[in-house]
Amino acid sequence: MLNKKNMQLLRILIGFSALICSIIYGKLYSNDELERLEQGISRIHLNDGDTAMLTSFYDSGKVIVLKIGINGLNRDERQFEAKKSLYKKQALKFTCKNKVLEKYLSSGKRIQVDLNIEGNSVDMFANFNLTTARCGKFSL
């Protein structure tokens, strides 16, 4: 039979074990979400062989910040403005329709998206902020 002290130790051990399991599960689940997000971004339709990739993901609690790098885009090319507009529309559509990001939007978080020329994270060519209400205004 367990005495009072052993019973308290058992309760502490069970509580600690539950905490460790929930931390491990949360970490594995967030890694899976990030992987699905990276895969989705890599499938954004771009022109001329340009590719998109997630270069940064940050959750500040109220705001999700996505940095998407476009590989193959060059500010010096003639079609830069047209491509910039297309890539912004594609990123907007992706952000509002993606299941992982939809979960963040529906919980009241705002999503900030920065589109950069890959390889130069400070060379941002587009930036926008989205909420559930703003996504609802677009006919995607």
Side-chain angles (χ1 to χ4, degrees):
M1 190 165 248
L2 295 174
N3 63 24
K4 214 175 197 180
K5 186 176 181 180
N6 287 341
M7 201 58 152
Q8 285 177 334
L9 288 173
L10 181 61
R11 286 182 185 145
I12 291 170
L13 182 63
I14 290 171
F16 183 72
S17 297
L19 176 65
I20 295 298
C21 288
S22 67
I23 289 171
I24 291 170
Y25 174 77
K27 185 69 174 163
L28 291 174
Y29 183 73
S30 69
N31 285 344
D32 181 52
E33 277 189 338
L34 189 58
E35 192 172 297
R36 288 186 293 152
L37 190 58
E38 287 174 334
Q39 289 173 353
I41 288 172
S42 71
R43 288 189 210 116
I44 293 176
H45 173 70
L46 304 176
N47 286 344
D48 301 331
D50 296 346
T51 57
M53 95 183 264
L54 180 66
T55 58
S56 177
F57 176 88
Y58 177 69
D59 182 352
S60 72
K62 294 184 180 188
V63 178
I64 302 296
V65 180
L66 295 177
K67 291 189 182 220
I68 300 173
I70 307 297
N71 190 20
L73 183 63
N74 186 333
R75 283 191 182 275
D76 297 330
E77 63 184 280
R78 273 187 308 143
Q79 300 172 346
F80 176 77
E81 288 301 321
K83 283 184 170 185
K84 173 182 159 181
S85 177
L86 173 69
Y87 297 164
K88 187 173 178 181
K89 287 177 189 172
Q90 291 291 328
L92 176 70
K93 181 178 180 180
F94 171 81
T95 304
C96 289
K97 295 291 185 181
N98 181 270
K99 295 294 181 196
V100 172
L101 298 176
E102 203 173 80
K103 180 186 81 167
Y104 290 111
L105 287 168
S106 65
S107 71
K109 293 186 178 187
R110 181 173 52 88
I111 297 180
Q112 175 185 326
V113 178
D114 297 337
L115 295 176
N116 300 319
I117 294 177
E118 191 178 9
N120 187 352
S121 63
V122 296
D123 193 359
M124 181 181 4
F125 65 88
N127 169 278
F128 52 89
N129 291 288
L130 294 169
T131 60
T132 302
R134 186 155 182 232
C135 278
K137 290 180 183 179
F138 299 109
S139 57
L140 305 171

